[in-house]
Amino acid sequence: MKHSRRKILLTAAITALSLHAFSAQATPVKIGIVGPFSGPFAHYGVLFKGGVESYLASQGGKLAGQAIEIIYRDSGGPNPGGTKAVVQELVVKDKVDYLGGFIFTPNAMAIAPIIQQSKTPTVIFNAATSAITAKSDYFVRTSYTLWQVTVPEAQWAAKQGIKRVVTAVSDYGPGIDAENAFKSEFTKQGGQVVESIRMPMSTKDFAPFVQRIKATGAQAVYTFLPGGPPNLGFVKAYNQNGLADAGIRFLGTAEMDEFDLQKFGDDAIGLTTAFHYSAAHDSEANKRFKSALKATAPEAVANYASVGAWDGMYVIEQMIQATKGARDGDKAMAAAKSLKWESPRGPVSIDPQTRHITQNVYLRKVEKTADGLVNREIQNFGAQRDHGTKP
Amino acid sequence: MTDMNPKRRHESPLFSPFLVVVAGLAWWFFLPDQLGLLTKLAYTALFVISLDLVVGIAGLPSLGHAALFGVGAYAAGIFATFVSPDPLVGLFIGALAGSLTAALSGLFLLRFQGFTFLMLTVATSQVLLSLANKFRDLTGGDDGLASYVMGGVFGVWDFDLYGKVASVYAVASLSIGYFVALKFKSSPFGLSVRGIHENRTRMVAIGTPIFLRLWVTYVFAGLLAGIAGAISAQTNGIVALDSLSFNLSAEALVMLILGGVGRLHGAVLGTLIFGVLHHTAASLNPYHWMFAVGAILMVVVVVPRDTLLATLRSLVIKQPNRHRAQP
Amino acid sequence: MEELALNILIDGTTYGMVLFVIAVGMSVTLGLMRFVNLSHGAFAMIGGYVTAHCIQAWGFGFFSATLLGVLFTIALAGTLEHTVLRHLYRRSELTQVLFTIGLSFFLIATTNAIAGPQIQLIALPDWLNAQVDLGFRVLPAQRLLVIAVGVIVLVAISYAVAKTRFGVWLRAAVDNPDAAASLGIPIRLVQSTTFACGAALAALGGVLGAELMPLEPFYALKYLVLVLVVVAVGGMGDIKGTFMAAWLLGTIDTASQYLASSWGGIFFFVAMILFLARRPDGILKARET
């Protein structure tokens, strides 16, 4: 029928036109930022963008004297096929010099062959599984891993005289990492993990799990959940179902993340977490970061995701500096591996073996101040490497 | 609308797959920077064709078709990890996994129709999703299965960075699958399944074995979906839980409805239109593309098709007054 | 052991009530107008967002804000129904699916653009946040409110359908629209009112459920599957069936969290398969042979 033939031709014409509309000229240094900008994880996209834009603005719009072009691409949720297609286009068509971003482990894993073949240095702003950086020589990470922040917390808990702990984590990669990290270190320190509870990702009502935690008779609960509804739900359930009153201490890592922190209200006061970044960290670098963020991206919050992007941009800047704006993946990575600097989180460096960031991990307690709730750093565990990899 | 005269060239099962090959070649030459997108569209189109067999031809709307795709993908990935990285053998494994899953689940599902069938397909795919998450030692759980490296097609052509080999591989598979599906649709068997869709009572009255015909159709759809899944696993180098997700099933159904249900051509068109639309909107604005896609889906439903085509025509082709017989 | 059973019962009932209040509107619309409205979740979301906004921005109390949220959703749903949706009643189900998914996308994008991607909290008055001591455990008072509202909604709707004139019209219109119309029953009025009520209930459910299902732009599609499951198992248009289905499924899901949480949501869907296979027309309707 003529009808469908015409339809096909029209479709083809429109396809070709729309796909051709985006060829840009390549003089500035191009950075592709890939993250979830739509869908249920869109808040991460806001945080990434905030960190990226504010860093760029704080450097006067240029990095290492070079003009910069940033291309943002949506990866949606955990979607390795789609992320791979997006990154392939960034590398092959847009010819980006650097890549940054990535929240989810499968998305980062999927692009490893592309960046390896094209020698594109890629800075991971978030995806926290230890195994990722080993997948390609061109990965460098400025976030954290669960092992990195959990091992010192387990050691601290043991020193506090806590003998029996129950772990309650969300049933996904990072959660299981967290559970393994805590179990391994805590038992090494002589403690006992009485039960390991895995909470399905689809959980909405955490009351059942809180009841289970109560029933174990443990002295503390070590927990890890993804940010957003699960985190919010669990902490609320912890308070509303009387765990705090029953004397079961809270041991967390990312749960008191500044993005959700204010929502917990007074219930959160006193909760302890071990983590690598607090917005209340008292340093010049952090003050600069926060004011830059406020000026350029007021909708973003200073937290581990935005600081991951901020520090990631610093690393990219150093790589641009080392290659003088030219595209040289190997030279850039060599420069990245030797970096040491003062980040808003504290003193950090890139481990040349794992290409993961070595950083201080702090023990924090939630306190109420005139500006709302903050994570007050009460102890510094010192520089921690990624304990999830062999030294 | 069935065309009973196979001699008309347009309706020959060779014509449309041939068009697909031509379009693929054109894309290959004119848009060599975007072969990743072409690959993705190709295996998705094959998936949506398989969905059309169930929804359009057998008349059973399904929101759990990703189960068959995902099973094919994981089978191919696990096979590549533990047995052999040869892609063509993996394709066969994916087909096998898809058809087996369709065979087993179909024995149960096909006893139902309408909304009940729809919800049971959702439940089936969610159960498989939970199982894939539970047995993370085999499937990698939500981190995905990425521990395999594919060998070359025919042992020679490796999947490269630019997606050259992958796109040819995917488009070739699509064309062949499309051809076979079209043959199926216009065969007496396919026509009887169509009949079951349109008037089950009458088909029963003339003695058609309803359940058997539907089951065979479902198994065939599972075969094609499994192949599509295997291609995605091989060309992406990773399989993750999204290949079993409700989102994937829903998106496929949306693409099918958009392109037109029941003729198989709509499956390919719908995939192309939705895929390009999503891609373009997301490139223009990664935050707000949902506005555009949502609005367009609504417009497509509300505005009559002829008006839409006429508007598109006037935008794209500047024609002087020419008398054109309306089809 | 009894403690465990009681815990499962309480938490399961709470969760089930939330599902019921959100799903009942969709069930009635589906049963009455055979209209597949996949944007139903969006109504729940909008009700919640407007309520949250009234509390945060204009300082309304919880109950007045909830009322405003419900009223706004009624207005929005009613307008949509009258202008666009009613023209879709005659179209195929797949077309309805396409349109309402497009509508959901659009509403998600709108919510994201207006309110941003973070979770919106509905601030509860202190007495709802207070812990109620049941002896063997403590429970936030809000949960008891949810259970109470669920039961009230069930009783109210059942009464309305069985005993009021509107209910008679509704039942007639479901059973045989043409005969009903020829008897002078205002079918359009019945349809619009029912649709608006369904949306109102969804909005109420969104507000009540915000503790369990936090409000975010993607809410509209995120919980859609759950609502569809409850509607399917309960039987289209069967209010008591929807209540039963929501309660049973909610309790089974909760039980699996207490007893076998590493299996994820599998028990919910296995239960669904079993219920639907045995009672495809609705859980309270024995299968017609």
Side-chain angles (χ1 to χ4, degrees), chain B residues 163-189:
Chain B
K164 291 202 188 107
V165 174
S167 48
V168 171
Y169 183 63
V171 173
S173 307
L174 168 64
S175 318
I176 297 173
Y178 195 8
F179 173 69
V180 180
L182 282 170
K183 284 288 266 190
F184 176 89
K185 179 187 108 180
S186 51
S187 71
F189 190 96

Side-chain angles (χ1 to χ4, degrees), chain A residues 348-363:
Chain A
V348 298
S349 64
I350 301 286
D351 181 327
Q353 296 297 92
T354 61
R355 288 166 273 111
H356 176 71
I357 191 168
T358 298
Q359 56 195 333
N360 285 353
V361 175
Y362 306 89
L363 184 75

Side-chain angles (χ1 to χ4, degrees), chain C residues 109-134:
Chain C
T110 313
T111 311
N112 190 34
I114 296 178
Q118 47 275 84
I119 298 172
Q120 296 298 324
L121 288 179
I122 295 184
L124 297 171
D126 286 329
W127 65 272
L128 277 180
N129 261 328
Q131 289 173 14
V132 173
D133 192 355
L134 296 175

Side-chain angles (χ1 to χ4, degrees), chain B residues 249-323:
Chain B
S249 303
E251 253 188 31
L253 188 63
V254 167
M255 290 188 224
L256 178 61
I257 303 174
L258 192 62
V261 179
R263 294 172 321 153
L264 296 184
H265 309 309
V268 179
L269 270 176
T271 307
L272 185 62
I273 297 175
F274 187 85
V276 170
L277 183 65
H278 177 173
H279 184 86
T280 314
S283 310
L284 278 173
N285 190 326
Y287 328 99
H288 298 305
W289 63 266
M290 269 190 152
F291 268 124
V293 175
I296 291 187
L297 289 182
M298 292 194 283
V299 163
V300 162
V301 168
V302 170
V303 175
R305 211 153 253 203
D306 294 326
T307 322
L308 253 184
L309 283 174
T311 321
L312 279 175
R313 210 179 296 149
S314 61
L315 284 174
V316 175
I317 304 171
K318 291 191 177 66
Q319 288 283 353
N321 279 346
R322 220 212 276 174
H323 292 292

Side-chain angles (χ1 to χ4, degrees), chain C residues 21-25 40-41 43-45 47 73 197-207 219:
Chain C
V21 177
I22 297 181
V24 70
H40 190 79
F43 294 144
M45 176 178 80
T73 311
C197 288
L201 286 169
L204 181 63
V207 171
Y219 184 107

Side-chain angles (χ1 to χ4, degrees), chain A residues 151-169:
Chain A
V151 162
E153 185 167 33
Q155 292 166 348
W156 177 82
K159 282 204 196 74
Q160 297 296 304
I162 299 176
K163 288 263 176 294
R164 293 186 328 274
V165 173
V166 53
T167 62
V169 300

